[in-house]
Amino acid sequence: MKRLFVAASLLLLSQVAGAQSIPQMNRKVTLEGPTGLNWALSTKADVDGGSLKNAIVAANALHVPGLSAFVTCPINACITAASMGGNVYSPAEIQYVTQKAGNEEIGLNVSVLDNTGAGTEIPGAAISPGAKMAGYFGIMQTPQGGTAWGMNSVVTRGAVPYQPSGPNGEPGTGTDAPAGSVPASIGTIGYEADLNNRDQSGASGKPFIVNLYVAGSSKYTSTAGIFYAGNNGEASVPMYQYGIEFSGPSSTVGSSVGGAAVEDDSSATISLHTIGSHSVASIYDESTGPHSLWIVGTHTQQDIEINTSSPRQIQLDGASTSQSILDNTTGPHGYQVMGTHTGADIEIASNSPIAQEFLSAHSSEDQNINTTSPIGTLYQGKHSTADVEYFSSSSSAESFMGTYSAPISDYRQANATDAIAIKGGQYICMDGTGACVHYDTTHSKWVFSNSSGTDIASLDDSGNMTLKGTLTQSGTP
């Protein structure tokens, strides 16, 4: 009778446990021994459809078979509608709700202590023996496979979960909370990659220390290393305020970057390419430093080429303590303007003290106008002193050469009382330094000299004329 009762009890226990394998124990249960409770609780139990709570799995290996065993519901991406492809399946899932108000909580923690492998690396190898990795996500896309993601993470700010959403009551996608419901003091970080270098500086060369390594092994060129997608929620709202932002130093932290914020060592066709419509500028430099744009190196063509149809190709604003443009180069031309312009090649419409200034020593001309334009230089506007004023110590202020079909200096269209004004003692010469006329301020008279520089005639302010030679009347001049 006792045996029958024991058999019935074992049968009932097996029915309650379902497919769970129960360790075999003798009738008299004790804590010690190979059939005791200590041994029983340390053995493996297979669970089919049951739940294992607050368990610590201590094993040398854990293997999840590659079978999509149950329907899963990714938070903020819980797909159940048939139009979106139906349910999502997964072989493993963690659904977790935070519990602690004043503690940090982590949904999944993987910690690895890298304590082996030193000295086994192969210099220059893409995959080095002895390398360790805290986590790995991989997917292989076959010709029969669908669109593939290597990894996807999502953080939703300002959401209200609703139940049930998934097949097991997961919060799923949820609804929007009122705008601004999350305090501004609470941050939202999609992904954080920390790199704590406590060893040595990672300068150019060795050691190789980077926070994000975008690599691959491709036979063909892919679209992009990093791609920013548009806003799927609101088409009129930009996804980010800044695509990439580098923090500056403060009283508590140092600068995020010490060298170049962006360095291009590639052989790309174009180093920086901007397209699209920008309401302010394609490149906006608001920094402080020695240079706003610094170009060095050897280029086979132009250092800067602007090939646009904008109203202005270059515009300089602001207050400069020195030159707005400084050309400190050596070459055939410091500045060359080519092409066909409907207005002026160079227009100076400023209120500066000096519109154009030439300094230093030039082996040839300060300004060379070698054109076939109707007018070489045109001065318009209202100037309080002069259109052209010379303060130089050159041998000649102006020198005219070439062939002219009209007068070299034509004042007929000028609206002025005096065409030419000179001061006393200055000479007006007709042939080099000879055949001149000047006004002698000491004796208040005009003096005429011949080609040898000898004074030959004078005319004073009273109209008295003195000739060194003979006055001939009714003769041929």
Side-chain angles (χ1 to χ4, degrees):
M1 187 68 180
K2 291 182 179 180
R3 293 181 180 179
L4 181 60
F5 176 76
V6 171
S9 300
L10 291 177
L11 178 61
L12 181 61
L13 251 156
S14 63
Q15 290 176 351
V16 173
Q20 181 175 355
S21 62
I22 300 176
Q24 299 296 323
M25 297 179 290
N26 58 7
R27 187 162 176 260
K28 183 179 179 181
V29 179
T30 62
L31 293 177
E32 295 79 11
T35 59
L37 281 177
N38 288 339
W39 170 82
L41 294 177
S42 65
T43 57
K44 174 177 177 290
D46 296 326
V47 178
D48 183 10
S51 61
L52 189 63
K53 298 181 179 179
N54 300 326
I56 297 177
V57 180
N60 293 330
L62 177 64
H63 181 218
V64 178
L67 298 175
S68 297
F70 58 89
V71 178
T72 186
C73 181
I75 196 165
N76 204 54
C78 188
I79 302 174
T80 57
S83 59
M84 296 294 294
N87 293 325
V88 178
Y89 289 85
S90 173
E93 180 183 35
I94 296 178
Q95 290 285 342
Y96 167 66
V97 180
T98 61
Q99 303 293 324
K100 311 297 182 182
N103 301 86
E104 292 188 2
E105 299 183 59
I106 301 175
L108 175 64
N109 178 29
V110 177
S111 297
V112 177
L113 176 62
D114 184 4
N115 205 27
T116 59
T120 62
E121 65 276 355
I122 299 177
I127 301 176
S128 181
K132 312 300 186 231
M133 191 176 301
Y136 180 81
F137 296 89
I139 183 171
M140 180 179 291
Q141 188 179 26
T142 68
Q144 293 78 30
T147 301
W149 281 267
M151 185 177 69
N152 186 93
S153 64
V154 61
V155 176
T156 303
R157 180 184 177 98
V160 177
Y162 59 86
Q163 301 279 359
S165 177
N168 302 309
E170 301 93 339
T173 301
T175 59
D176 294 340
S181 58
V182 181
S185 59
I186 302 297
T188 303
I189 301 172
Y191 178 77
E192 178 178 351
D194 294 328
L195 175 63
N196 302 319
N197 182 10
R198 302 180 183 181
D199 181 55
Q200 54 184 300
S201 295
S204 57
K206 293 182 179 179
F208 183 71
I209 307 171
V210 297
N211 203 6
L212 178 61
Y213 185 38
V214 181
S217 178
S218 302
K219 292 185 178 180
Y220 302 96
T221 303
S222 302
T223 302
I226 299 176
F227 179 77
Y228 286 87
N231 192 348
N232 292 325
E234 295 287 343
S236 60
V237 177
M239 182 74 76
Y240 304 103
Q241 183 68 25
Y242 304 102
I244 299 177
E245 182 177 1
F246 299 92
S247 65
S250 65
S251 59
T252 57
V253 297
S255 178
S256 58
V257 180
V262 177
E263 180 174 347
D264 183 5
D265 293 335
S266 68
S267 58
T269 305
I270 299 173
S271 180
L272 178 62
H273 184 199
T274 63
I275 57 177
S277 178
H278 306 280
S279 60
V280 177
S282 296
I283 299 176
Y284 181 34
D285 182 8
E286 202 178 9
S287 63
T288 58
H291 308 285
S292 178
L293 176 61
W294 191 20
I295 301 175
V296 296
T298 302
H299 306 94
T300 57
Q301 295 187 24
Q302 299 84 357
D303 285 338
I304 298 176
E305 179 177 348
I306 302 175
N307 188 5
T308 65
S309 57
S310 305
R312 294 182 181 89
Q313 274 78 14
I314 296 178
Q315 178 173 339
L316 303 178
D317 294 325
S320 302
T321 58
S322 185
Q323 298 85 359
S324 296
I325 297 177
L326 174 62
D327 181 4
N328 194 18
T329 61
T330 57
H333 305 284
Y335 189 84
Q336 185 177 14
V337 181
M338 302 175 63
T340 302
H341 306 94
T342 57
D345 286 340
I346 299 176
E347 179 180 348
I348 303 175
S350 64
N351 294 321
S352 305
I354 301 173
Q356 194 174 23
E357 183 177 8
F358 299 95
L359 300 173
S360 188
H362 305 94
S363 58
S364 186
E365 302 84 5
D366 284 337
Q367 192 175 26
N368 183 9
I369 301 176
N370 188 8
T371 63
T372 58
S373 305
I375 300 174
T377 303
L378 175 63
Y379 296 95
Q380 291 180 337
K382 184 178 181 180
H383 306 93
S384 60
T385 303
D387 285 340
V388 179
E389 191 173 78
Y390 299 94
F391 277 96
S392 63
S393 57
S394 306
S395 57
S396 300
E398 280 186 310
S399 177
F400 296 94
M401 293 182 291
T403 302
Y404 302 92
S405 59
I408 295 177
S409 295
D410 191 347
Y411 305 96
R412 292 173 295 179
Q413 301 297 325
N415 185 14
T417 304
D418 301 326
I420 299 177
I422 62 174
K423 71 176 183 178
Q426 289 182 333
Y427 287 76
I428 298 177
C429 302
M430 310 303 169
D431 184 17
T433 58
C436 302
V437 58
H438 72 280
Y439 185 77
D440 186 353
T441 56
T442 303
H443 302 92
S444 300
K445 63 179 181 179
W446 285 93
V447 180
F448 299 88
S449 60
N450 59 16
S451 59
S452 300
T454 303
D455 295 341
I456 57 174
S458 65
L459 178 64
D460 60 20
D461 289 349
S462 300
N464 299 315
M465 187 172 190
T466 303
L467 300 177
K468 192 171 186 179
T470 303
L471 179 60
T472 303
Q473 292 183 334
S474 301
T476 302

